[in-house]
Amino acid sequence: MRKGQHRFVAGFLFLPVALYLIFVIWPYIQTFGYSLTDWKGQSQSFDFVGLDNYTALFEDDVFMGAIWHNILFLVFIPVITILLALFFAFMLNAGGRGRSGGVSGVAGSKYYRVVYFFPQVLSLAILAVLFGAVYRSDGGGMLNGVLIGIGLVDSQNPVEWLNEPNVVLWALMAVVVWHGVGFYLVLFSAAMQSIPRDIYEAALIDGASRTQSFFRITLPLLWDSVQTAWVYLGIAAMDMFILVSTMTAGDYGGGPDHHSEVMSTVMMRNFLLYGRSGYACAMGVVMLVLTLIVSVVMLRATRRERIEF
Amino acid sequence: MGSTSGENNGTGENGTTGVGRRALIKRSAALGLVSVPAMGFLSACASGGGDDDSGQNEGKTSESNPFGVKKGTKLDVVIFKGGYGDAYAKAWEADFEKKHGVTSVHTGTQEITGKLQPRFNAGNPPDIVDDSGAQQIPIDVLHKNGQLLDLAKVLDAPSVDDPSKKVRDTLIPGTIDAGMQEGKVVALNYIYTVWGLWYSGKLFKDKGWEAPKTWDDFLAVCKDAKAQGIGGLAHQGKFPYYINVAIMDLIAKKGGLDAMKAIDNLDPKAFVGSDAATEAIEAIYEVVEKGYLMPGTNGLTHTESQTRWNQYKAAFITSGSWLENEQLKTTPDDFDMKFLPMPVLADSALPFEAIRAGSGEPFIIPSKAKNLPAAQEFMRMMLSKDWATMFAKEANSLTILKDGVDPNVQLRPGTQSTVEASRAAGDNTFRFLYTEWYSEMGTAIENASNELMAKRIQPKEWLKRAQAAVDKQAKDPASKKNRRD
């Protein structure tokens, strides 16, 4: 029985591990190698420059600004998305007035559950086009059209949403949150449904309010899912490339005047447009390290004792 | 082709390891996930070896075949399929096969960088490339990597139409300069383009406006337009490249060619301390301050703002002569599109008729191309009347070949007006080169212009920022090799 088992396991593991090494780990190593050179991106000739790229990075205001924007995204996107998703999920599953003494969602919760999921079905590219029309900077934009219609905005002076340094980051954040809430709502819903009804009913009998049952029962029992959501959203916040590069001004986005720049857009511009590919690889390495730190910190910070039920 | 193998590898990896890693995922979800967005970028980094098998594509040279194209070989052609489409290239390729017996492998795409960067890195580039569009690989970057063939041989070859002349002598003077890097022509900018303002002949007739020749007249039209609820000037705010056309044209016209060369040559007084630059940027800022911009234009994409202009929401718009072809579908039939040279400030060095004119749409031959003889012959034939006329018919635009279009070809009103404007301009043409030489400096100036148009900075600050971009570029030792006199 034992005999040959190891070989059997190794046989199954060999291919995936090899693929993982070749296509994931090896490129990382290569990127690190390139980050120590002045590679210009279009041929295989370059010189070794040591850590010059890394020292230059820390004096690059644009890249430093981009890190700061990523941190802002990292703080706000997970918090807002998870709170909204939790709230909606709770209302859909246990928020209804107990009609026959049991625990149920608000009226029409099945319908809402489907509707909330719609945004998740859209690809990021479609999302960018859609919200491009929402944020459009003249009277033809959805937001401006409505605001001009009700007289809040002067039609000669529409709000240039994505061209306002103080608005652009929030406008982008709103898109990510709108897109993400539905998915996490479904995730949390599924987790909530696996919580035994009797616990809620027992709480009800003891006179617990909706708020109390949410904080005392739902949230603790959902903690595993929240933790997963947190890591996923944190990683999404560290990326943001597609939305920023397609929706904001400039080559690979980042406008106006670098006010919406994220690490990946600065990297792409240096890599492809400016031909400073070695430098861009150094940015890639910094991104990798930061993302790893964020993931580890988030997993640690949200670690709690598991509750079996 | 070369690039698709990277994608295939990507899906293969995801599909197979999904099962194998299942147990791991729970603990290190983070680690695995990080790799996914980075995959595409990283696979572009993976290096490959180059191989060299030139020689087998060389045939015998003759008078009508100066490069020695060999029958039965293959030519790998990559065309940017943008505003001009790629039907013209297919017509060329068919003709090329008929005349030389070389079949072409045709790729029409918008993703020049995505498709070609891995091939350049692997030493396996196509034979001839139309390196254009939003995702072009910058010419200066390719050149610095030693990837471009010096086109002198093609330009010095006998012309197809008149073998007693060299190809270079059949072209509109000055048009090959734009493809120059460090003193060598490495890109053939094939399409003849003029830049400036555009207006609708119909709108101007209806409103009783005259096409303005001076800046004051221009402001007067803008004022009247605003009073009637029409925007004065529209520009493609999401891409500040366009408003820079207006700004830089004003500078060049006010200060003459010296003011333009000061910028291209990274002069320490190109902007700060230059009267021409100061007056030009103040003039543009006046448009912003007086509210003559089309509302919201600062945030619109090129299609959005151009479509608005087609709907008579603005009197003027900045652009180059590709505008007409780009807007074919949204332009009303009676719109009567017209080109207007940039109106001049008082006491300008250049007359009103002077225009920024030159060549765009760079065609390149990679130095490591497999079939160099055929690629060079292909380019020589592009500069024949036959092929230039094919281009005018299919893509609705002029080429750099002098009198290159059969007079029987009927041109659209906008294109016709550019022909007239170039004739009126005569030798009074100019062309900035810093946009081709210094991508980074160009971007920095564009950012400053974007801020100025949104009223977030003043002309003084714009000059400072533009000068800072110039000074920063001047510190790069490589910039010493670019110089124009």
Side-chain angles (χ1 to χ4, degrees), chain B residues 86 99 136 138 201 293 343 349-350 409 446 463:
Chain B
D86 67 346
K99 296 215 167 95
Q136 74 163 176
L293 288 181
L350 297 180
V409 175
E446 284 174 13
L463 290 166

Side-chain angles (χ1 to χ4, degrees), chain A residues 132-141 144 157-163, chain B residues 295-301 304:
Chain A
V134 171
Y135 291 136
R136 193 179 149 137
S137 62
D138 67 359
N144 273 320
N157 229 340
V159 185
E160 291 166 1
W161 300 99
L162 296 172
N163 194 30
Chain B
T297 193
N298 290 331
L300 296 183
T301 66
E304 286 167 352

Side-chain angles (χ1 to χ4, degrees), chain A residues 16 23 28 30-31 34 41-44 136-138 160 163 165 246 248 250 256-258 272-273 276 292 295, chain B residues 17 30-31 35 39 42 45-47 117 121 137-138 145 147 238 296 298-300 308 440 443 447 451 456 465:
Chain A
F23 292 113
Y28 279 136
Q30 275 196 315
T31 305
Y34 280 121
Q42 300 293 347
S43 76
Q44 287 299 318
R136 193 179 149 137
S137 62
D138 67 359
E160 291 166 1
N163 194 30
T246 45
T248 60
D257 199 26
H258 305 302
L272 295 176
L273 198 66
R276 297 170 69 187
L292 279 181
S295 313
Chain B
T17 44
L31 202 72
S35 66
M39 277 291 296
L42 291 171
C45 287
S47 55
Q117 187 177 32
N121 268 290
I137 308 179
N145 282 286
Q147 294 283 13
K238 200 178 169 197
N298 290 331
L300 296 183
R308 280 289 189 222
E440 209 172 337
T443 308
N447 273 333
E451 293 300 284
R456 286 192 288 269
R465 287 179 61 165

